[in-house]
Amino acid sequence: MPDKERVLISTKDITKETQTKRKVQEYLEIIDKNVITVTTDLKGKIIYASTKFCEISEYSEDELIGKTFAVIRDPRQSIDLYEKLWENIQAGKIWQGKLRNLTKSKEYFWVDVKIYPT
């Protein structure tokens, strides 16, 4: 085994990077607690629901994950509205409008929605 005479060490100051990551995490937590956001897959199944959405809908995130918006959809709202909504999303267009939904305890709540297909 050859003798080693020296060691090369490379370092990088990651202080700013660490501070930036921490700040981004703080902002994400503020958004989660104060903004109603939901992420779905392409089939409309919920894969993420913010704490604020869970609070307003009265469902836990575990109760929403894997479900579609049918779980909160007001049955008196026009099905045509949802068909147009999905047409826009599938065409890669933003959809914006107001939706009336039902909480877990069957109370109504309105949301002004803006859906961004990604």
Side-chain angles (χ1 to χ4, degrees), residues 17-97:
E17 182 180 325
T18 302
Q19 290 170 340
T20 300
K21 285 180 180 180
R22 189 175 303 127
K23 196 61 141 172
V24 168
Q25 187 59 40
E26 288 173 12
Y27 288 139
L28 291 173
E29 288 174 18
I30 290 169
I31 291 168
D32 178 67
K33 292 177 183 175
N34 296 286
V35 180
I36 300 168
T37 60
V38 179
T39 304
T40 68
D41 65 14
L42 294 175
K43 294 180 181 179
K45 290 189 179 181
I46 298 169
I47 57 175
Y48 167 79
S50 69
T51 299
K52 188 64 175 180
F53 183 83
C54 292
E55 180 185 314
I56 196 167
S57 71
E58 300 175 354
Y59 287 95
S60 71
E61 189 175 17
D62 287 341
E63 291 174 304
L64 294 168
I65 299 297
K67 305 278 190 325
T68 66
F69 276 96
V71 72
I72 63 164
R73 187 176 72 78
D74 176 3
R76 296 187 300 175
Q77 192 125 15
S78 166
I79 196 74
D80 291 339
L81 173 71
Y82 289 96
E83 287 173 356
K84 288 178 184 172
L85 179 154
W86 276 104
E87 276 178 27
N88 271 336
I89 294 169
Q90 290 172 337
K93 299 177 185 174
I94 295 171
W95 184 88
Q96 185 169 0

